[in-house]
Amino acid sequence: MAKAIPRIGSRRNGRIGSRKSTRRIPKGVIHVQASFHNTIVTVTDVRGQVVSWSSAGTCGFRGRRRGTPFAAQTTAKNAIGTVVDQGMKRANVRIKGPGLGRDAALRAICQSGIRLNCIRDITPLPHNGCRPPKKRRV
């Protein structure tokens, strides 16, 4: 029986390479989704590839505290901190949702030192919405 030769470049033993390379991103888009129960901040480059993201749940907030303005502020700081280190200078902001964290997240983005080109509200509004259910007969 031949002795097995240990392979050094085995896939199981170590990572092949870092999937997320730290490339310089001078310009990007910051998406803020503020629902009543949570706030999600996603930072993408101009092509739409996600660079970093954070939510109130991943920041350690649980239950009703996730929908608070302070949770949204902490979430925005966490998401933007990594991209500021990668060299982001300018960004567009897109805010979606009716939650309490909209203004707090925007305030945290402004204080981060990133220059904002435009702030756009992309909350979906129903133009008379769906057809209501048929009335019940008594």
Side-chain angles (χ1 to χ4, degrees), residues 2-84:
K3 189 175 177 183
I5 301 169
R7 289 193 304 176
I8 296 169
S10 174
R11 232 191 165 124
R12 273 174 287 165
N13 293 346
R15 294 183 63 180
I16 300 298
S18 178
R19 281 186 295 133
K20 295 215 171 190
S21 60
T22 57
R23 61 184 197 277
R24 304 290 289 173
I25 303 160
K27 189 177 178 188
V29 183
I30 302 170
H31 301 268
V32 179
Q33 293 177 277
S35 67
F36 289 118
H37 301 294
N38 201 356
T39 305
I40 302 168
V41 179
T42 309
V43 183
T44 65
D45 59 4
V46 182
R47 291 191 295 176
Q49 296 176 327
V50 175
V51 180
S52 80
W53 68 275
S54 182
S55 72
T58 58
C59 291
F61 294 96
R62 289 284 174 255
R64 293 187 63 182
R65 293 189 62 207
R66 286 190 303 181
T68 60
F70 176 69
Q73 181 181 348
T74 310
T75 303
K77 284 181 183 175
N78 280 9
I80 292 170
T82 56
V83 278
V84 170

